[in-house]
Structure formats: structure tokens, C-alpha cells
């Protein structure tokens, strides 16, 4: 009986040691779990600096960021938009400062008013062709006729100016003629107009109804604004 008691006692001690070992193993596993996020964080840091086997994860994360955040997407769109917008748009009326100045030279058979178009849009734009020109007079509106000169196309840099002439006959009839009260300018390919003070001679001769005596040249055909 003493031998059996010793055997049972030995078995009880062995079982106790085994249970203790299992508890220690469980305790070790429980401590390792909080370290997992730290390991991932370290891996992410390493991959973002260009090292380690986590670089593949870094690449996937980068692709996700470029598709899912404004920073990546905006950069791509901005680059594409810049290339797509390489073609310069037309100058709009609201983007132009339009002024008129008498540029008649002594001895000329006709009077000349030069209209200046200055680009203040903050971007380059194209302007070409003929502007619409109408004189407001005491007898009604009088539209200028085109000279027929070939019109070129030009890029008007931001802050720069271009010019075109308006030619009109002097009133040498000795009569009061037709009084000019204003100048209406519509830039090429636009429908919005601006009305300016007329800087030229105060009157035009009375026409015989054969057509407008006022002529307008294409944009760029006047070399300077005076």
C-alpha cells in the first residue's frame, strides 16, 4: 500500500507540473498578442522607407491611396488636364480690357481710332478675325464694314495687348453732319459687347445711302495703340 501511495503521489506531482507548464504557455501566448500591431507598424514604417519584405504591401497601399484620396487622384488629373488644355482657348469679352484712342495722323485722308484689347484673364488666349464695331450716332446705329484684309490668328499673352483700327471720313461738307455719341465693340467670336466713348472727330458726313463710310480692320492690323 505504501508503494501505491507513493506512485499516486508521484503522478499527482507530475500532473501538477504539467498543468503549470500549460498555464505558463497560455500566459506567453497572451503576451504576444499586443505585440502584433507593433510588428505591423514597424513593417509599414520599413516599407515606406523603401526596405524589407513589406515593400509589396507598401505598393498596394500606395495604389489604394492614389485611387482613394484626393492627393493621388488630383495629381494625376492635374497632369492630364494640363496636357489636354495645351490648346489655348479663345479670348472672352469679360477677359479683355477694351479701350479706344484717336490715332489720326496729320495729312491722312481719313480719321483713325485704334481699339486696344488687353488680356487680363490670368491666362493666354487666342484672338483672331474681325471685331464687331458699331457707332452710335444721332441718326441711329451705324455698323462698320470690314476692310477685307486677311485676318491672322494670334495668341494673346496674359497682360499683353493687340489692336485694330477703325477708319472714318472727316466731315468736310460744311454742315452739321451726323453726331457720333458712342462706340460699341464686340470682340471676335463673341456676342457680348462693350460701349466706349468715341475719341475721334465729333461728326461724320451725311451718307448718300450707298453704304457705311466707316471701316474696321482685323485684329492685329494696327501696329500700335498710339
Amino acid at each position: 500500500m505504501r508503494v501505491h501511495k507513493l506512485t499516486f503521489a508521484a503522478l499527482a506531482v507530475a500532473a501538477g507540473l504539467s498543468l503549470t507548464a500549460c498555464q505558463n504557455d497560455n500566459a506567453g501566448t497572451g503576451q504576444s498578442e499586443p505585440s502584433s500591431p507593433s510588428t505591423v507598424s514597424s513593417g509599414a514604417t520599413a516599407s515606406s522607407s523603401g526596405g524589407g519584405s513589406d515593400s509589396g504591401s507598401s505598393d498596394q497601399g500606395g495604389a489604394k491611396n492614389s485611387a482613394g484620396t484626393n492627393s493621388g487622384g488630383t495629381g494625376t488629373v492635374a497632369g492630364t488636364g494640363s496636357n489636354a488644355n495645351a490648346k489655348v482657348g479663345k479670348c472672352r469679352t469679360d477677359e479683355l480690357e477694351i479701350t479706344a484712342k484717336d490715332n489720326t495722323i496729320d495729312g491722312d485722308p481719313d480719321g483713325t481710332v485704334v481699339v486696344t484689347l488687353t488680356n487680363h484673364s490670368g491666362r493666354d488666349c487666342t484672338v483672331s478675325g474681325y471685331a464687331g464695331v458699331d457707332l452710335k450716332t444721332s441718326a441711329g446705329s451705324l455698323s462698320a464694314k470690314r476692310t477685307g484684309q486677311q485676318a491672322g490668328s494670334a495668341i494673346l499673352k496674359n497682360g499683353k495687348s493687340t489692336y485694330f483700327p477703325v477708319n472714318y471720313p472727316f466731315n468736310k461738307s460744311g454742315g452739321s453732319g451726323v453726331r457720333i455719341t458712342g462706340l460699341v465693340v464686340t470682340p471676335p467670336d463673341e456676342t457680348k459687347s462693350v460701349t466706349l466713348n468715341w475719341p475721334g472727330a465729333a461728326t461724320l458726313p451725311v451718307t448718300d445711302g450707298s453704304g457705311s463710310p466707316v471701316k474696321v480692320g482685323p485684329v492685329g492690323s494696327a501696329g500700335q495703340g498710339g
Side-chain angles (χ1 to χ4, degrees):
M1 293 297 292
R2 181 177 180 81
V3 173
H4 289 294
K5 288 181 179 180
L6 289 174
T7 301
F8 289 141
L11 290 174
V13 170
L17 291 174
S18 176
L19 179 60
T20 302
C22 290
Q23 290 175 346
N24 288 338
D25 289 341
N26 291 336
T29 303
Q31 291 174 357
S32 66
E33 290 178 356
S35 67
S36 297
S38 176
T39 303
V40 172
S41 176
S42 299
T45 302
S47 64
S48 65
S49 62
S53 60
D54 289 330
S55 59
S57 299
S58 176
D59 292 341
Q60 293 175 354
K64 181 178 180 181
N65 289 340
S66 65
T69 64
N70 290 334
S71 58
T74 301
T76 303
V77 171
T80 303
S82 177
N83 293 333
N85 292 333
K87 184 177 180 181
V88 180
K90 294 180 180 180
C91 300
R92 300 303 181 188
T93 302
D94 291 336
E95 298 175 330
L96 298 171
E97 180 184 1
I98 304 175
T99 59
K101 181 179 180 180
D102 183 23
N103 202 42
T104 302
I105 299 175
D106 291 342
D108 283 354
D110 295 319
T112 301
V113 166
V114 169
V115 177
T116 302
L117 308 176
T118 303
N119 179 10
H120 63 83
S121 64
R123 66 178 180 91
D124 297 347
C125 59
T126 60
V127 59
S128 62
Y130 284 81
V133 172
D134 297 280
L135 297 188
K136 297 172 69 175
T137 76
S138 56
S141 180
L142 179 65
S143 296
K145 292 182 64 176
R146 297 179 177 183
T147 61
Q149 182 179 348
Q150 185 175 0
S153 179
I155 294 177
L156 185 58
K157 297 286 187 179
N158 181 48
K160 299 300 183 180
S161 300
T162 188
Y163 316 90
F164 66 85
V166 178
N167 302 114
Y168 63 96
F170 294 119
N171 181 17
K172 299 178 180 179
S173 65
S176 59
V178 178
R179 184 168 57 89
I180 304 173
T181 59
L183 171 65
V184 181
V185 176
T186 308
D189 300 317
E190 276 289 88
T191 57
K192 186 175 182 179
S193 304
V194 296
T195 300
L196 309 172
N197 292 326
W198 173 251
T203 63
L204 293 174
V206 177
T207 64
D208 57 6
S210 60
S212 175
V214 182
K215 309 293 183 183
V216 57
V219 172
S221 60
Q224 58 183 354

